[in-house]
């Protein structure tokens, strides 16, 4: 007489579990189950054997101990091709378990809804991962199912004569991937609770969001993964309303625009971006005004670019956007008429990110993969040193030191370092431009006026080239603009170029051994200059 095959079904996510169990019963399997799953199956009319009947031991410790028993794990781990294993099972009166269908306590969801530490710890599954790993180790003899998407595949193959070895290997892989991700989430949560930002060993868990036709270039493959815990105001939360699938470059470039947009909070703002660099940025009293200022900053480069907008796109703004080719528009909402206008172009992509202005989450990490390793840092969340706006109103301390060669070195503290103090309009323009330069590839120079950029120089191998590029892009608009530099001026040449172009004020970190040369050049031209301390390199 052929032995009855057995399947252990114990799931937190009960999606499809009843139908799967019914299918197994129809194929002659005995169903073993626990707690809530057993109740759900019985309520649905599926005959079920309680785990405690198999182990001869009741569930205890509020359900913490249910399946941790030799009668379960020996039945899973016994190799059917090993006579010694099978003889031992017979001596012990233990029967084999042929299918293990388990998914784990919802630890991630518990954390995401803000549960306290005790509840999160209680939602760390112990028996589930143990059964999954045991079944995956013995994949030749046990089909292990962790994903409800595989229920149909397993049933179909069982009906055709048995689960194939290839499918069992794929299911094995999914188990170890799943438990590895589960453990990494727990580890990172515990590290965060202890304030450990950079542990000695680290793993990160990401969920596959989408595959891509190709990567940065057609010869490169690519995929997009979502950070499982960063959900607010990120591209992983975007809902695509219109257009073809996003590419690798689309996502990378859109992220650059999105992160800059966050600097402006709720002030109506529009960022036009190209190749992850801003090409035009505008603020205003309305989204329409902000868009027109961003567009007018560089109407050439914005063509084929990406727009990040922190307010609803209305009909008037949509009509202006539709006059040129734009790859992507990101906004928290669109009016019905705006959608109708924008959807008239088949090559535009429209993304809705409802909390688009949400700042980077506390503790979020900025990571860059390098060949053979991973660079990890905190996000650059500061703007000014200590967020101190009095820097624009106070004189910087000046200290003179006589060197051994008799020369005098002048060092400056933070604040206004020139004879002329900046005006209120210049301060507003400097703060605006400082936000933009922070998100521009170094070496970076941004020239701007109140509420809009006039010229941007980025990614140059020396600072004077970046300054000259920004001035050239600004053209006549350079006169009366201010300049922001992401790092100090190593020479006076940038200040001298500002003087020629009619720039009236400069904001920069300061800290060069030749700061005095730039200060003197500014004083000679009547330019106001402020040292703010923090630099904002971006690579």
């Amino acid at each position: 007489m052929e032995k009855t095959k057995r399947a252990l079904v114990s799931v937190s996510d009960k999606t499809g579990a009843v139908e799967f169990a019914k299918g197994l019963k129809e194929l002659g399997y005995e169903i073993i189950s626990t707690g809530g799953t057993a109740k759900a199956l019985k309520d649905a009319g599926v005959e079920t054997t309680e785990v405690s009947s198999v182990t001869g031991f009741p569930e205890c410790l509020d359900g913490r101990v249910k399946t941790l028993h030799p009668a379960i794990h020996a039945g899973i781990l016994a190799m059917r091709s090993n006579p010694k294993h099978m003889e031992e099972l017979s001596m012990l009166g233990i029967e084999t378990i042929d299918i293990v269908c388990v998914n784990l306590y919802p630890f991630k969801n518990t954390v995401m809804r803000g549960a306290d530490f005790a509840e999160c710890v209680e939602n760390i599954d112990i028996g589930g991962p143990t059964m999954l790993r045991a079944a995956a180790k013995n994949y030749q003899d046990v089909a292990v199912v962790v994903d409800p998407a595989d229920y149909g595949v397993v049933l179909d193959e069982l009906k055709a004569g048995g689960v194939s070895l290839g499918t069992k290997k794929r299911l094995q892989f999914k188990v170890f991937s799943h438990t590895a991700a589960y453990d990494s989430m727990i580890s990172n949560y515990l590290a965060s609770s202890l304030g450990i930002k950079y542990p000695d060993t680290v793993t990160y868990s990401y969920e596959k969001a989408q595959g891509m036709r190709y990567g940065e270039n057609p010869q490169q493959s690519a995929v997009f993964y979502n950070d499982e815990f960063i959900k607010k105001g990120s591209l992983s939360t975007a809902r695509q309303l219109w257009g073809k699938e996003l590419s690798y470059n689309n996502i990378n470039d859109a992220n650059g625009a999105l992160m800059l947009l966050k600097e402006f909070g709720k002030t109506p703002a529009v960022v036009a971006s190209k190749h992850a660099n801003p090409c035009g940025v505008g603020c205003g009293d309305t989204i329409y005004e902000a868009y027109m200022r961003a567009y007018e900053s560089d109407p050439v480069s914005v063509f084929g670019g990406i727009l990040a907008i922190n307010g609803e796109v209305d009909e008037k703004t949509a009509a202006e956007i539709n006059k040129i080719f734009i790859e992507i528009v990101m906004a928290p909402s669109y009016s019905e008429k705006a959608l109708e206008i924008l959807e008239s172009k088949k090559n535009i992509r429209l993304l809705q990110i409802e909390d688009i202005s949400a700042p980077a989450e506390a503790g979020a990490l900025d990571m860059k993969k390098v060949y053979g390793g991973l660079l990890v840092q905190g996000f650059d969340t500061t703007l000014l040193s200590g967020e101190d706006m009095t820097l624009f109103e106070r004189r910087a301390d000046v200290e003179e030191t006589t060197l051994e060669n008799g020369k005098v070195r002048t060092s400056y503290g933070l604040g206004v370092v020139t004879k002329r103090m900046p005006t209120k309009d210049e301060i507003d323009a400097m703060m605006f431009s400082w936000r933009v330069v922070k998100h521009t590839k170094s070496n970076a120079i941004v020239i701007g006026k109140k509420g809009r950029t006039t010229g941007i120089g980025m990614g140059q191998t020396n600072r004077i080239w970046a300054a000259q590029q920004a001035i050239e892009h600004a053209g006549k608009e350079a006169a009366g603009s201010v300049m922001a530099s992401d790092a100090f001026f190593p020479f006076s040449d940038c200040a001298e170029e500002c003087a020629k172009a009619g720039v009236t004020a400069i904001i920069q970190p300061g800290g060069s051994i030749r700061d005095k040369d730039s200060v003197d050049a500014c004083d000679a031209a009547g330019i106001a200059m402020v040292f703010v301390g923090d630099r904002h390199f971006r690579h």
Side-chain angles (χ1 to χ4, degrees):
M1 181 176 173
E2 187 177 346
K3 180 182 75 67
T4 300
K5 293 199 171 223
R6 301 195 302 168
L8 193 155
V9 181
S10 178
V11 291
S12 290
D13 177 3
K14 295 176 175 55
T15 304
V18 169
E19 293 77 10
F20 184 53
K22 284 182 176 179
L24 292 174
K25 285 293 289 185
E26 289 171 5
L27 291 167
Y29 279 81
E30 177 189 354
I31 306 298
I32 304 167
S33 193
T34 62
T37 305
K39 182 178 185 304
L41 296 180
K42 288 176 181 177
D43 289 347
V46 180
E47 185 182 348
T48 304
T49 301
E50 296 272 0
V51 162
S52 57
S53 297
V54 176
T55 63
F57 202 91
E59 293 183 14
C60 61
L61 306 181
D62 297 320
R64 282 188 165 200
V65 179
K66 293 183 286 232
T67 58
L68 297 171
H69 193 281
I72 298 298
H73 288 280
I76 294 172
L77 281 163
M79 296 178 67
R80 287 27 164 198
S81 61
N82 186 322
K84 185 173 181 294
H85 283 197
M86 302 311 291
E87 183 181 343
E88 287 184 23
L89 283 193
S90 179
M91 289 174 58
L92 294 167
I94 295 174
E95 296 181 43
T96 55
I97 295 173
D98 307 286
I99 293 176
V100 171
C101 174
V102 171
N103 54 54
L104 307 179
Y105 292 173
F107 176 80
K108 173 187 163 185
N109 292 341
T110 305
V111 173
M112 293 293 285
R113 65 178 170 78
D116 62 22
F117 184 80
E119 186 178 354
C120 289
V121 169
E122 198 58 34
N123 275 276
I124 295 175
D125 204 326
I126 302 301
T130 308
M131 286 189 292
L132 286 173
R133 291 170 64 86
K137 179 173 181 174
N138 201 24
Y139 72 96
Q140 302 97 325
D141 299 311
V142 181
V144 56
V145 190
V146 71
D147 183 356
D150 291 313
Y151 293 166
V153 174
V154 171
L155 287 175
D156 287 345
E157 291 197 14
L158 286 172
K159 290 173 186 176
V163 182
S164 68
L165 187 62
T167 296
K168 286 179 175 178
K169 284 184 175 180
R170 183 177 63 82
L171 296 174
Q172 176 195 41
F173 160 74
K174 290 185 79 167
V175 162
F176 284 111
S177 294
H178 185 69
T179 57
Y182 192 76
D183 284 341
S184 75
M185 285 189 287
I186 295 168
S187 172
N188 291 333
Y189 170 75
L190 295 176
S192 176
S193 71
L194 291 168
I196 300 172
K197 197 168 187 178
Y198 305 118
D200 292 338
T201 60
V202 66
T203 55
Y204 299 107
S205 177
Y206 293 86
E207 293 177 338
K208 186 176 180 180
Q210 67 178 75
M212 296 177 176
R213 285 184 298 137
Y214 56 82
E216 204 165 3
N217 297 289
Q219 67 271 24
Q220 295 168 269
S221 61
V223 69
F224 178 41
Y225 289 95
N226 288 339
D227 186 318
E228 291 192 313
F229 284 112
I230 304 297
K231 295 296 182 186
K232 197 173 181 183
S234 71
L235 281 165
S236 65
T237 66
R239 186 162 67 96
Q240 188 162 350
L241 306 179
W242 178 259
K244 61 187 178 182
E245 187 176 61
L246 299 176
S247 71
Y248 178 99
N249 288 333
N250 289 155
I251 291 173
N252 185 56
D253 295 350
N255 187 66
L258 179 62
M259 296 308 289
L260 170 51
L261 186 72
K262 292 179 183 298
E263 295 287 348
F264 296 99
K266 298 297 184 181
T267 300
V270 174
V271 174
S273 177
K274 203 79 167 284
H275 305 304
N277 273 304
C279 57
V281 183
C283 287
D285 293 329
T286 65
I287 290 298
Y288 175 79
E289 184 179 23
Y291 170 73
M292 293 308 299
R293 286 177 174 176
Y295 170 76
E296 290 164 359
S297 295
D298 190 344
V300 175
S301 296
V302 73
F303 185 87
I306 290 171
L307 297 178
I309 301 171
N310 66 0
E312 180 166 283
V313 179
D314 57 22
E315 179 181 356
K316 188 177 179 182
T317 306
E320 288 295 331
I321 293 172
N322 234 30
K323 291 179 180 179
I324 59 172
F325 169 55
I326 291 293
E327 282 263 15
I328 298 170
V329 180
M330 299 180 287
S333 59
Y334 302 79
S335 72
E336 187 175 337
K337 190 64 178 177
L339 277 177
E340 182 181 324
I341 292 169
L342 294 172
E343 288 174 1
S344 68
K345 289 194 173 182
K346 67 177 183 179
N347 288 327
I348 197 170
R349 284 96 148 190
L350 305 179
L351 303 182
Q352 182 177 6
I353 306 176
E354 293 181 356
D355 44 10
I356 199 167
S357 297
E361 293 184 19
L365 296 175
D366 187 13
M367 293 179 276
K368 181 180 290 187
K369 183 73 174 71
V370 296
Y371 186 65
L374 182 70
L375 290 169
V376 181
Q377 63 178 353
F379 275 97
D380 184 3
T381 55
T382 63
L383 194 61
L384 297 172
S385 184
E387 307 297 317
D388 188 357
M389 285 297 292
T390 65
L391 292 171
F392 297 94
E393 302 166 2
R394 71 176 190 235
R395 293 285 182 187
D397 296 328
V398 181
E399 181 179 320
E400 293 186 344
T401 305
T402 302
L403 306 178
E404 291 181 0
N405 59 11
K407 292 184 177 181
V408 176
R409 177 180 172 182
T410 304
S411 299
Y412 298 85
L414 305 184
V416 180
V417 294
T418 49
K419 294 176 182 176
R420 187 171 79 79
M421 300 290 288
T423 66
K424 173 68 167 61
D425 284 347
E426 286 172 337
I427 292 171
D428 290 343
M430 281 192 283
M431 280 303 301
F432 174 85
S433 301
W434 190 241
R435 288 183 170 90
V436 178
V437 82
K438 175 183 172 182
H439 293 271
T440 306
K441 295 285 181 70
S442 191
N443 284 319
I445 296 287
V446 170
I447 297 177
K449 294 182 177 178
K450 183 180 180 180
R452 70 182 180 98
T453 55
T454 53
I456 301 175
M458 78 288 284
Q460 300 301 310
T461 52
N462 64 60
R463 197 151 297 278
I464 185 59
W465 288 355
Q468 290 169 338
Q469 183 185 61
I471 289 168
E472 181 182 354
H473 287 174
K476 293 179 181 178
E477 289 283 345
S481 291
V482 306
M483 175 180 283
S485 173
D486 66 336
F488 62 62
F489 293 160
F491 306 104
S492 62
D493 49 5
C494 289
E496 290 160 359
E497 289 293 323
C498 285
K500 293 177 192 175
V503 170
T504 63
I506 296 171
I507 179 172
Q508 60 134 316
S512 169
I513 61 172
R514 303 185 66 166
D515 275 341
K516 188 175 186 302
D517 294 349
S518 294
V519 174
D520 289 346
C522 287
D523 280 338
I527 296 172
M529 185 157 65
V530 181
F531 286 178
V532 295
D534 291 324
R535 74 180 188 197
H536 292 296
F537 279 151
R538 183 167 176 260
H539 293 92

